[in-house]
Amino acid sequence: MTGRVVAALLAAILLAAAPASAADIGRVKRATGDAAVLRAGKKLPAKPGLVIQNADVLMTGPGGRIAVTFIDNSRFSAGPDSQVSLDTFTFNSTTHDGAFVSRVEKGSLAIISGQIAKKTPDAMKIRTPTSILGVRGTRFVVEVAP
Amino acid sequence: MNAAGRLTALSLLLLTAACAGGDKVLLLPPEPGAAPGSVAVLSDDGKTAAVIDTPNTEARLGGASVEARAVDPGAVQDRYGSLIDTLPAPPAVFVLYFREGTVTLTPESRPALDALLAEVGKRPGAEVQVTGHTDRVGHQAANDALSVARATEVASMLVAEGLDPALLVTAGRGEREPLVPTADGVREPRNRRVAITVR
């Protein structure tokens, strides 16, 4: 029991320090051809390991592809000529409460939902120019043709 | 234009409409081992307007109503095969176990360390999340802290094994996600664990 108390105190001290990577919401796993991440007006070339942050935009040109895994285990794959805005991402790794709203402006996006959608149906949403989709734990494709 | 000609023109018109731009959603079969899911089309106020819950069905969005139609699996593969194949691999999970109330690993858990380090090497752009769990002895707040302490201990162990600290994040789930469900206050070694997710 004493060990448990000591460990709890130790952890409380560690918890007090905010994680340096609070804004990181995922990482690029695959990128081919013309693929970039738009962040605060800057275009970053996408490559495996690039950290994805809230409000980033995934962009591909003709022949480009980009795939991302998020910290709630959600996974995205965007096809050529696509633009996907990651508008909102909040996630509590202790409770799994969160919200994840993305917007497919154009192109194609394959989605596998993660812990946010598993904990709370419709907490993960995909917007298109005409619609809002609520994700209830699944794998699907959204396409927005010009 | 004769009747046959009009029919052809009408068919072409329908075909054009079917191929025209716009938004659509296609539900895929779940990954092997995953539960089947569904996608809801929501109205602006968040109410459910329609639900697509049959794999390999597709619905056009933005119209007055949402009608799902079946799509041949071969056609799904033709249209979206590359898109689906580009999806990242599912995260791999490794589990390590602890002595009661401590952050000391059980000896049996050592080999799992090597397996997970090998997995990190196989994945481009890998990241590693270390998530601590407890059994249901003690209060929830204390268990939240203990679960974080276990995760932190394993994280430093992984760094000592040569893992880049920049790839590591830690989390504690306390007693919320027992491997073996028990009543509160029950000692259960299988729930005193750390799960390491390699993404």
Side-chain angles (χ1 to χ4, degrees):
Chain A
M1 199 59 212
T2 310
R4 197 173 277 236
V5 171
V6 170
L9 285 171
L10 182 69
I13 293 161
L14 289 166
L15 274 172
S21 57
D24 300 351
I25 64 168
R27 277 174 199 254
V28 173
K29 299 299 176 184
R30 293 182 169 131
T32 53
D34 181 4
V37 173
L38 192 66
R39 179 177 304 158
K42 278 194 181 152
K43 210 170 164 183
L44 312 172
K47 56 174 193 281
L50 177 69
V51 169
I52 297 295
Q53 296 183 349
N54 214 343
D56 281 353
V57 180
L58 311 178
M59 296 181 80
T60 59
R65 293 186 178 278
I66 183 170
V68 174
T69 300
F70 295 91
I71 57 172
D72 80 321
N73 293 346
S74 301
R75 287 171 279 158
F76 278 10
S77 158
D81 287 311
S82 298
Q83 186 171 333
V84 180
S85 304
L86 310 173
D87 289 341
T88 307
F89 188 104
T90 60
F91 179 56
N92 181 324
S93 61
T94 297
T95 63
H96 287 184
D97 289 317
F100 187 6
V101 183
S102 306
R103 211 151 24 100
V104 183
E105 313 276 10
K106 63 169 185 168
S108 54
L109 183 71
I111 297 126
I112 299 176
S113 61
Q115 288 158 340
I116 292 172
K118 189 177 179 186
K119 174 75 192 282
T120 315
D122 295 351
M124 182 183 192
K125 293 186 179 74
I126 306 287
R127 288 175 169 273
T128 74
T130 65
S131 301
I132 309 168
L133 301 170
V135 182
R136 301 181 178 179
T138 194
R139 183 162 73 143
F140 62 104
V141 170
V142 172
E143 189 171 0
V144 175
Chain B
M1 197 184 278
N2 62 22
R6 268 199 297 275
L7 198 60
T8 308
L10 181 65
S11 308
L12 274 174
L13 192 70
L14 288 173
L15 199 65
T16 312
C19 297
D23 320 345
K24 54 190 175 185
V25 59
L26 168 75
L27 186 68
L28 297 168
E31 281 185 295
S38 62
V39 172
V41 182
L42 305 177
S43 60
D44 285 337
D45 56 2
K47 292 208 175 71
T48 303
V51 176
I52 299 147
D53 55 9
T54 309
N56 291 322
T57 61
E58 175 179 70
R60 188 162 291 283
L61 302 169
S65 65
V66 177
E67 281 172 44
R69 66 180 190 96
V71 182
D72 177 69
V76 172
Q77 187 58 33
D78 287 347
R79 276 157 55 191
Y80 300 122
S82 305
L83 190 71
I84 295 164
D85 290 345
T86 307
L87 277 162
V93 181
F94 300 84
V95 181
L96 306 176
Y97 295 91
F98 288 83
R99 299 184 191 280
E100 184 181 356
T102 73
V103 291
T104 308
L105 275 183
T106 62
E108 300 77 28
S109 291
R110 293 269 162 192
L113 269 175
D114 293 331
L116 86 89
L117 289 168
E119 186 67 33
V120 173
K122 278 189 247 167
R123 292 183 180 236
E127 70 187 299
V128 179
Q129 179 174 317
V130 184
T131 306
H133 301 271
T134 67
D135 63 18
R136 300 194 61 193
V137 175
H139 292 295
Q140 177 157 320
N143 281 333
D144 279 359
L146 175 59
S147 65
V148 172
R150 282 182 177 154
T152 307
E153 173 76 12
V154 170
S156 50
M157 195 185 300
L158 294 175
V159 172
E161 295 282 336
L163 198 72
D164 179 358
L167 304 186
L168 272 169
V169 285
T170 56
R173 289 270 282 155
E175 56 178 64
R176 287 173 191 76
E177 198 176 328
L179 204 61
V180 182
T182 70
D184 198 18
V186 172
R187 290 190 155 80
E188 176 48 71
R190 285 170 292 179
N191 290 337
R192 298 195 290 265
R193 69 203 197 276
V194 167
I196 297 149
T197 306
V198 182
R199 292 192 194 99

